[in-house]
Amino acid sequence: MPNLAHKTFCVYTYGCQMNEHDSERIVGMLESHGAIRVDTVEEAEIAVFVTCCIREAADVRLMGQVASIKNIPLPKGSVLRKRMVCIGGCIGQRDGDELPAKLAHVDVVFGTQNIERLPYLLEAAMADGGHQVEILETSDSFSSELPSKREHPWAAWLPITVGCNNFCTYCIVPYVRGRERSRTLEDIAAEARALVEDGVKEITLLGQNVNSYGRDLYGEPRFADALRAVSASGVERVRFATSHPKDLTDEVIGLYAELPNLMPSLHLPVQSGSDRILKAMNRRYDAAHYRGLIDKVRTVNPDVSLSTDIIVGFPGETEEDFQATYDLVKEIGYTQVFTFIYSPREGTPAASMVDDTPREVIQTRFDALVDLVQENARVQNRRFEGRDVDVLVEGASKRDDRVIVGHSAHNVTVHAPLPEGVALDEVAGAIVTVRVDAAKAWYLSGTMLHG
Ligand code: 5AD
Ligand code: SF4
């Protein structure tokens, strides 16, 4: 067993919820080897970066961050010869040996398939001073089997699949996360039960495409069964991310009316409203299929709040293609839309497609979409005005420590002043009722009714 007793460490996390989950495991694992988590790099003898490479901006930011800590001295009293700098996650997986070649102060590189090896690689790097780079193509273990230190004790990520088989032409994920592998229904149910016993109120099932869960294990997707199993744990709130429209079944949609603890919100990335672009993206559905899914969801429960991801400026996107996206976003009325400008990723099919739309044109489209999204969100949020909503309290507002912040069942951020005489600690992690007084574009503000 590596001995990291009393070594201090900090973890920087970039990117998606799977990385946030992996970071919770890294913290849990390093603590189980005796290390102590600290908040700042100045206090840390070990700095761990859990990285993302989905868009170029993420790469650039990471390189800058790693470079910026190079000359920060070790904390007083450390016996190490230098701070141990560790890079894991998707950039680690993609770049491997290139990282210490580019950034000489990097000591350990690990990937998406072997986070359990970090303590061993760290021990070796501390002992002989050489770079330790270890990347595995695939693995049969799941990081969810490692000890965990949850960011919030009351909310947990529960990965049901890792990897992706879809190969959307713009996306690097299948290359850095590997092929899709599912955990068994028994494992998932057992983890959900253990989380509930540990006081967890909200479980979010994770996967690049949760809807194809189980295909590798059972020969057919069993996502509905995974949802039922987690719901049966009795946890107060169940959520999931991310769904692929080509695999979302009527059975899963029906669960919005069947499972009382399945929260009324759905993140269903559409990426584009143009059939031509959807085909070039290899998404394997068209806009009509997507609209049909939304109709079905709204038939089952008209109150489900919807969110999506959109890529603007995919190679060859014309004004007409963009207009189709704009119209679809306007028509559906999302509560939240994550908008991205297309970023070519080396090694993906789209990176070698002709991409000659001027930057300014793409920016203009992007800005128009962002304006629409904001307007839509305000309209959607207005439907909550005057309503009482349940809010899982996550903490205090950054601007005012007497204002609580949390998420409603519909996954909308809610702010409310703490009632006189109530301390934050008394309500953090609890589900409280808030009467919504006003809807803003990005949050609801209201009055807390009881704790
Ligand atoms: N460029 C821009 N956005 C991308 N996404 C994935 N790959 C790229 C890329 N190369 C977006 C998609 C996906 C979200 C997580 O990131 O919209 O749903
Ligand atoms: Fe990327 Fe498509 Fe897989 Fe999502 S479904 S991770 S966008 S390849």
Side-chain angles (χ1 to χ4, degrees), residues 37 46 54 67 89 108 142 175-176 190 197 201 253 255 273 312 325 349 367 374 415 422 444 449:
R37 187 183 190 183
I46 300 165
I54 198 139
V108 172
F142 290 96
Y175 306 90
V176 289
E197 258 169 47
K201 302 252 170 62
I253 293 174
L255 296 180
V312 178
T325 301
D367 293 346
Q374 183 144 349
H415 292 200
V422 177
L444 306 172
L449 298 185

Side-chain angles (χ1 to χ4, degrees), residues 89-111:
C90 296
I91 295 183
Q93 184 76 24
R94 186 194 61 187
D95 292 352
D97 286 315
E98 286 173 28
L99 287 165
K102 269 192 250 170
L103 295 158
H105 63 300
V106 171
D107 301 284
V108 172
V109 181
F110 59 108

Side-chain angles (χ1 to χ4, degrees), residues 164-168 170-174 208-209 244 271 283:
C164 183
N165 291 350
N166 289 311
F167 292 95
C168 301
Y170 51 81
C171 186
I172 190 114
V173 168
Q208 301 300 339
N209 172 12
H244 195 306
Q271 312 297 358
R283 292 289 289 176

Side-chain angles (χ1 to χ4, degrees), residues 9 21 28 55 71-72 81 119 132-133 167 195 222 224-225 247 250 254 279 306 311 326 362 399 417 419 428 445:
F9 72 98
H21 165 266
R55 284 170 291 276
N71 297 321
I72 299 177
R81 77 200 143 73
Q132 303 292 318
V133 177
F167 292 95
L195 289 170
R222 303 268 309 262
D225 291 334
D247 295 314
D250 293 355
K279 199 163 185 354
L306 296 165
I311 296 178
Y326 188 94
I362 293 174
R399 291 215 206 112
S445 68

Side-chain angles (χ1 to χ4, degrees), residues 78-95:
S78 174
V79 295
L80 297 186
R81 77 200 143 73
K82 74 179 279 291
R83 173 175 291 107
M84 291 290 116
V85 177
C86 313
I87 303 189
C90 296
I91 295 183
Q93 184 76 24
R94 186 194 61 187
D95 292 352

Side-chain angles (χ1 to χ4, degrees), residues 54-55 170-171 269 271 309-311 340-345:
I54 198 139
R55 284 170 291 276
Y170 51 81
C171 186
Q271 312 297 358
D309 294 346
I310 301 276
I311 296 178
F340 306 105
I341 289 185
Y342 168 72
S343 169
R345 303 283 62 205

